[in-house]
Amino acid sequence: MKHLLPLLDPRTVPSPCFVLDEARLAANAAILDSVQQRTGAKILLALKGFAAWDSFSLLSRAKGHGPLWGTCASSVDEARLAREEFGGEVHAFAAGWTEEELDELLPLVDHLVFNSLAQWERFGPKVRAWCRDNGREISCGLRINPEHSTQEGHAIYDPCAPGSRLGTTLSNFDESLLPLLDGLHFHTLCEQDADALAVTLAAVEEKFADLLPRMKWLNFGGGHHITRPDYALATLENCILSVRQKYGVQVYL
């Protein structure tokens, strides 16, 4: 995509190309901002779902007049795009990082989330040493698996399916590592309504509530279909406010 175009006669649009409706994109951004204003949550753009960088001025607080606080990247290239083109907070998560990827990621990210305790034990000291040597802080977190599925018809990529290795389950959690972690992250939804979030959040609290007051932030992940006309905004906002009030954490989506 090279430009944001005004509404055009489809017969005049070159093919193939992607055409974005700027007004509708701005309207969606306004809905997201309204949630932030009422709850204090910070909403991020997931680059793996939308990386049309010519639109970033509509979405980024740092590079334009948009509402979003930053981005979530799932690769080094996405993190670089986030830093160079979107600005704001750069969060990164992947199911597994390599030594070489970490070397490239550390100068780019503000938040770094690991999928497993094995990954954290392997790379946590490297991250802390890099921060110390460079005088820069990176907030580190761990993805958790609440082991409660809300998926229907998507079992092949359900992160809470039996045997899933996406996120750390409570039985595999090592509380001795908590002083080194700033936050927890869960990602279980797929274009779902807030009722699925409420059920998931109850499972998260059932298993991890005693850990949450020791965290600085909790990331609700993605998959929230917030801009859908019939989405239950009040339920979403109640979930966010409840978590903030009970545990004193910053909430990210």
Side-chain angles (χ1 to χ4, degrees):
M1 184 191 72
K2 292 186 177 181
H3 304 286
L4 282 172
L5 301 174
L7 188 61
L8 297 176
D9 184 331
R11 293 168 295 183
T12 69
V13 177
S15 181
C17 71
F18 291 100
V19 178
L20 300 182
D21 186 325
E22 183 173 350
R24 292 183 69 182
L25 189 61
N28 282 348
I31 293 171
L32 299 180
D33 196 33
S34 71
V35 172
Q36 294 183 142
Q37 295 294 333
R38 288 191 292 267
T39 66
K42 293 184 176 182
I43 299 181
L44 309 171
L45 173 67
L47 290 175
K48 68 178 180 180
F50 186 80
W53 58 86
D54 270 3
S55 69
F56 286 176
S57 62
L58 292 175
L59 302 173
S60 170
R61 300 172 75 96
K63 292 293 181 77
H65 305 288
L68 303 188
W69 287 87
T71 51
C72 182
S74 55
S75 69
V76 172
D77 288 336
E78 287 184 0
R80 186 175 296 109
L81 175 65
R83 178 60 65 202
E84 294 176 358
E85 298 293 338
F86 198 94
E89 298 181 19
V90 179
H91 297 228
F93 166 81
W97 300 111
T98 67
E99 192 92 31
E100 294 75 20
E101 287 173 326
L102 260 293
D103 290 338
E104 293 187 74
L105 274 172
L106 294 179
L108 300 171
V109 301
D110 301 294
H111 281 219
L112 188 56
V113 176
F114 294 92
N115 183 64
S116 65
L117 289 174
Q119 280 262 301
W120 172 245
E121 289 171 334
R122 179 181 176 188
F123 292 124
K126 178 185 180 74
V127 176
R128 296 305 184 198
W130 186 92
C131 290
R132 183 178 62 250
D133 294 345
N134 290 273
R136 183 169 172 272
E137 190 61 36
I138 296 175
S139 188
C140 291
L142 184 72
R143 178 169 175 172
I144 55 175
N145 185 336
E147 301 177 85
H148 188 95
S149 175
T150 59
Q151 300 286 340
E152 293 183 7
H154 303 107
I156 192 171
Y157 57 86
D158 180 1
C160 293
S164 171
R165 292 188 291 173
L166 288 171
T168 300
T169 61
L170 181 62
S171 62
N172 288 316
F173 207 94
D174 182 353
E175 291 200 24
S176 68
L177 298 176
L178 277 176
L180 302 175
L181 294 172
D182 295 317
L184 300 175
H185 167 107
F186 64 88
H187 176 62
T188 66
L189 306 183
C190 179
E191 294 190 345
Q192 288 170 281
D193 206 336
D195 58 343
L197 170 63
V199 170
T200 298
L201 195 55
V204 169
E205 290 190 88
E206 179 185 352
K207 293 180 169 64
F208 298 99
D210 60 326
L211 308 182
L212 293 175
R214 299 151 75 176
M215 298 292 107
K216 295 179 181 178
W217 50 266
L218 177 64
N219 192 319
F220 287 9
H224 316 275
H225 209 163
I226 297 171
T227 58
R228 195 178 66 206
D230 61 346
Y231 183 88
L233 286 175
T235 301
L236 168 66
E237 292 170 8
N238 287 338
C239 287
I240 296 169
L241 291 169
S242 173
V243 165
R244 295 196 68 201
Q245 290 164 1
K246 281 193 280 189
Y247 306 112
V249 292
Q250 174 64 57
V251 172
Y252 287 95
L253 294 92

